[in-house]
Every structure is written in structure tokens, then in C-alpha cells.
Amino acid sequence: DAGITQSPRHKVTETGTPVTLRCHQTENHRYMYWYRQDPGHGLRLIHYSYGVKDTDKGEVSDGYSVSRSKTEDFLLTLESATSSQTSVYFCAISETSGTDTQYFGPGTRLTVL
Amino acid sequence: GENVEQHPSTLSVQEGDSAVIKCTYSDSASNYFPWYKQELGKGPQLIIDIRSNVGEKKDQRIAVTLNKTAKHFSLHITETQPEDSAVYFCAAKDSNYQLIWGAGTKLIIKP
């Protein structure tokens, strides 16, 4: 298995609070991604990074921000959590973009009350 | 932008029978189509992929076919086994080189 960890694995928080999810990789892959997974929607890309301090938006980026200060770490922040952000969040990595295999972390289940 | 539709949402087959999951895509410029398998409580894992210059690809009991004219691709699993029970996702690479995912198919293998 690719060396990808996510923390925390489970979190319950209240509406309006900030939340930060962490993804850590040991593979030295250039690309890192944050997805959310909801029933009936498959996986939807939130943000991705193509290098240290290089990030871009995905299809559902509103309400989320990201940072990547080191190759191995990619942080996802919900500035003010809402109930619509209750979801399972997956981090993924790949050596290149496009046709390269994406390796996924174990996921973080976030509940916003 | 790219849109991917996946059917069926749930598929139940008898152990030993074949299973077929179908996806359609909208962007004729898409040229990469992976399939991922997600087991309960885990992240998705690539099981097979196909590029647009190929019509079919096989790997043991699984195969993927691509029809570029009709803009659809399918996953075929033969001689299904209990360990094939999982959720399967198709995806297509969009013009920004990112993957657009189908909604998933829950495959149930009945003993």
C-alpha cells in the first residue's frame, strides 16, 4: 500500500467552527488531491496540488481552502464548517497528473452538527 | 465540462456469473478511463484502466471495453467471487487532466 495517512480518521464538530484535515505521504509524489465522497455523487475533487505551494481548485472548492508547505503534507481547511460539508474526505496522491494512478488514503469521516 | 454517468447503481449476481458495469462520458476529447474498486472502510484502488487508442484491455478475470464513437466504456468481471463484492467507480480524464468520477456501483455477489 502507498504510504498515505490521514488525520483525524473521524471528527464531529459544530456548525461555524474551523476544521483542518491532514494528509501525509511518504512516497514523494508530486500531486496530491482532496476529494469528498457522498452517496450518489461518487468522488468530487475539492482542491489539488501539483507541488509545494502550488494548488488549484476542483469542481467543489467553495468553503474549502488548502495549503502545502512541504512535499509530504497537504492540509484541507473548512474555515467555517456547515452541515452540507458532512462527508467522507479522501486524500490521494499521484506521480503525475492525468493518466497516472491515484493512490488513496483511508479517508476521514467528518460530521458537522 | 466532462460528465460521467454510471449504471447500475446496484448489481447483484450469483457467484460464478459475470458482472457488467457501464459508464458514459460527455467530452469526446477524454482519452483516459480508469476503474477503481472500493472495499468497505477503505479508499478506492485502481483495478484496470484503458486509453482511447485501445478498444479492450484484459487482466485475468476483469476486462474493460471502450467505444469512442458512442462515448461509453464498460467493466466486465467474469467468474465472480465473494471478494469481488465492493463498490466500483469509473472515471474519465477531463481537459484539465483531472478525473471526473461516476457515482459508483455496489456489486453484491450472492453465494
Side-chain angles (χ1 to χ4, degrees), chain A residues 6-64:
Chain A
Q6 293 185 232
S7 59
R9 294 292 314 279
H10 302 271
K11 186 170 181 66
V12 179
T13 191
E14 294 188 349
T15 298
T17 60
V19 176
T20 295
L21 308 183
R22 179 181 183 239
C23 177
H24 178 79
Q25 61 146 329
T26 58
E27 305 298 321
N28 201 35
H29 282 3
R30 179 183 175 190
Y31 285 79
M32 298 186 75
Y33 310 83
W34 276 109
Y35 289 95
R36 61 177 290 173
Q37 185 175 44
D38 305 288
H41 290 277
L43 290 153
R44 291 181 291 175
L45 183 65
I46 304 170
H47 283 279
Y48 67 98
S49 170
Y50 47 96
V52 173
K53 298 186 179 178
D54 292 324
T55 64
D56 206 349
K57 296 179 180 180
E59 60 179 306
V60 290
S61 59
D62 288 349
Y64 302 94

Side-chain angles (χ1 to χ4, degrees), chain B residues 2 18 27 33-34 42 63-64 69 74 76 81 89 99 108-109:
Chain B
E2 178 67 281
S18 296
D27 187 352
F33 309 92
K42 296 184 178 181
V64 56
T69 303
S74 300
H76 304 254
Q81 301 171 3
F89 292 96
L99 293 179
I108 301 167
I109 308 300

